[in-house]
Amino acid sequence: QQMQRTRKLTDIIFQKTRGLPLFVVQFLRSIISKNILTFSVRSRQWTWDDLVLDLLTISEDVAEFLAHRLSCLDKEILDAMKVCACIGFQVDELLFPLLQLG
């Protein structure tokens, strides 16, 4: 019974986050902070409502989270990341000294 219930939670989390670790962590933080996922000391287990979780959208939370994280970076780092994003999803580390010259 408990295994099936836990399986439903993991399925929902995977569906919302596509299994990306950053999104999983952010999603869990979000549902805990909103008291959607809570720990019951009395029953010594986590509790949640599958229907409420199913109705949640993660896109706003993740976008907000990423925007906040990016806004905390130094301007130089953010500018370098913008250039790297234009180059592609992989950037050779030899490029970084060139970015500092620009």
Side-chain angles (χ1 to χ4, degrees):
Q1 174 72 5
Q2 188 61 28
M3 290 284 288
Q4 288 176 326
R5 183 159 162 74
T6 305
R7 177 62 186 216
K8 177 67 175 165
L9 175 65
T10 59
D11 287 346
I12 292 170
I13 292 171
F14 184 80
Q15 173 194 8
K16 301 289 183 184
T17 65
R18 302 290 186 248
L20 297 170
L22 175 66
F23 292 178
V24 170
V25 170
Q26 178 58 24
F27 186 70
L28 287 171
R29 285 181 180 161
S30 175
I31 62 176
I32 290 170
S33 71
K34 294 175 183 172
N35 290 323
I36 296 170
L37 176 64
T38 58
F39 186 77
S40 169
V41 176
R42 172 176 261 165
S43 64
R44 296 186 314 218
Q45 63 183 7
W46 289 93
T47 59
W48 62 91
D49 184 337
D50 292 337
L51 295 176
V52 172
L53 284 174
D54 255 342
L55 294 174
L56 287 178
T57 58
I58 191 170
S59 58
E60 300 91 20
D61 286 341
V62 171
E64 186 177 304
F65 167 74
L66 292 176
H68 173 72
R69 293 288 300 263
L70 288 173
S71 72
C72 294
L73 295 175
D74 291 337
K75 183 185 179 326
E76 295 81 21
I77 293 173
L78 195 53
D79 289 343
M81 287 178 66
K82 289 176 185 177
V83 171
C84 291
C86 293
I87 295 170
F89 69 94
Q90 274 188 323
V91 178
D92 193 306
E93 66 186 57
L94 297 175
L95 179 64
F96 292 121
L98 297 174
L99 290 173
Q100 290 175 344
L101 296 175

